[in-house]
Amino acid sequence: GRGGSGGMDKKVSEMEIQRAIRKVAQRSGMSPQRVRKNIEQMLTESRACPDPQAQAAWASIPCAGQTPTMEEVMNHILNQGQ
């Protein structure tokens, strides 16, 4: 992976992510599986953007693998304001 931030970042638990996905699913009338699939598809499309600023933003997200997971993206976004 590309390593971590080394700071005291708050980590979003899988349970918190599942709870948020269920809330979105209820409000939108979609299944939780469809909500997760839509989010993952949106992230995949966003990663494919050739814009240098977009690529730099993706490169700044700490992740364990080649590309950040939805959970790693959510953690990164939540920790931006700290």
Side-chain angles (χ1 to χ4, degrees):
R2 292 193 306 261
S5 65
M8 297 288 291
D9 291 347
K10 177 189 182 323
K11 294 293 182 197
V12 178
S13 72
E14 181 65 26
M15 190 168 57
E16 290 171 307
I17 291 170
Q18 292 300 331
R19 188 178 311 128
I21 287 173
R22 281 194 305 271
K23 282 184 182 181
V24 171
Q26 279 183 325
R27 291 178 184 166
S28 66
M30 288 189 269
S31 70
Q33 294 81 8
R34 170 55 66 189
V35 171
R36 179 178 276 276
K37 185 173 181 165
N38 286 352
I39 292 169
E40 289 172 349
Q41 181 178 354
M42 189 172 52
L43 293 175
T44 297
E45 290 172 7
S46 178
R47 279 193 299 271
C49 178
D51 182 272
Q53 284 185 311
Q55 290 302 312
W58 279 106
S60 73
I61 301 172
C63 63
Q66 282 291 93
T67 58
T69 63
M70 179 175 63
E71 291 79 4
E72 289 167 331
V73 171
M74 292 177 100
N75 276 306
H76 181 71
I77 291 168
L78 287 172
N79 287 302
Q80 287 301 296
Q82 296 180 359

